[in-house]
Amino acid sequence: MSIESILTAVAPITVAGVVTVSVGYYLIKNDIDKYFRWRFAGKKDERTQLFALRLQAHERLIVFVERINPSNLLLRVYMPGISVPELQAAILNEIRSEYQHNVTQQLYVSERIWNVVRKLKDDTLAMVNNGVQSLPEQATGMDLSKKVLQQMAEIADNPYDLTLDLIKKDIHQLF
């Protein structure tokens, strides 16, 4: 057999194969397109949901920082005639409760942001406890409030504002 006779015999089979594959492709093309649209749309929906969760976590941490800021916290928990131990307990309980309410947000923010927020919480607790220790025994809740606000005024850069700025910068990196 010569090469010409082989090519003459194979050519119709090759043409038939190409025609069959082409017809098959056009018959299932819509199904293939639907599959890939569905497959990639699912990924996009997942990313959209994750983005929404991350944005919500940042929002909740902003609210947390605002709520534990002594200037806001003292307005919320102070009551006229409250004693130092009662005010201290109310403040510490409020901070811990807020923290526990937001602890899962660490899943959606950077480790750096979470560490800063956690340190701010710990520093706020320490500031209140240090304020109590520096007061005389006959001090009132008003004295503790003044002491804590005085300590805040002595800090050159407000740590609550710095934390809020850091969270906002982190949010802007998401966009």
Side-chain angles (χ1 to χ4, degrees):
M1 265 202 190
S2 70
I3 294 181
E4 289 178 11
S5 61
I6 294 175
L7 288 176
T8 308
V10 173
I13 296 172
T14 305
V15 170
V18 169
V19 169
T20 303
V21 169
S22 299
V23 168
Y25 172 75
Y26 285 109
L27 288 174
I28 63 169
K29 180 181 183 304
N30 287 337
D31 293 332
I32 293 171
D33 288 343
K34 284 180 188 176
Y35 170 78
F36 282 113
R37 277 195 304 268
W38 171 79
R39 175 87 174 162
F40 291 119
K43 296 277 186 199
K44 186 177 179 183
D45 289 344
E46 289 173 11
R47 278 187 254 129
T48 302
Q49 288 175 343
L50 182 59
F51 178 77
L53 289 171
R54 291 188 72 197
L55 187 59
Q56 181 184 26
H58 285 82
E59 291 170 352
R60 287 184 59 179
L61 290 181
I62 287 172
V63 171
F64 172 73
V65 169
E66 286 291 345
R67 289 183 62 85
I68 69 166
N69 185 329
S71 60
N72 297 326
L73 180 62
L74 290 168
L75 287 174
R76 231 178 23 261
V77 298
Y78 178 80
M79 294 179 295
I82 193 168
S83 70
V84 171
E86 291 171 329
L87 182 57
Q88 179 187 20
I91 291 170
L92 299 182
N93 187 41
E94 183 76 13
I95 293 170
R96 289 179 181 135
S97 175
E98 287 287 335
Y99 181 77
Q100 289 303 315
H101 182 70
N102 290 292
V103 75
T104 59
Q105 301 315 306
Q106 65 185 297
L107 294 172
Y108 304 106
V109 298
S110 68
E111 184 177 350
R112 178 176 163 228
I113 294 292
W114 183 252
N115 288 337
V116 169
V117 168
R118 189 178 60 223
K119 182 170 180 0
L120 184 68
K121 183 255 316 174
D122 292 340
D123 290 349
T124 305
L125 292 171
M127 183 176 15
V128 171
N129 289 329
N130 291 338
V132 169
Q133 291 175 357
S134 67
L135 290 174
E137 282 189 35
Q138 67 275 13
T140 66
M142 178 61 80
D143 296 327
L144 176 58
S145 297
K146 288 178 183 177
K147 184 68 174 176
V148 170
L149 293 175
Q150 180 185 8
Q151 288 176 350
M152 280 296 301
E154 293 171 359
I155 300 173
D157 292 321
N158 184 322
Y160 302 92
D161 292 342
L162 293 174
T163 303
L164 291 174
D165 289 342
L166 187 64
I167 293 170
K168 289 174 188 175
K169 286 178 186 173
D170 200 53
I171 289 171
H172 292 301
Q173 289 179 356
L174 295 176
F175 293 104

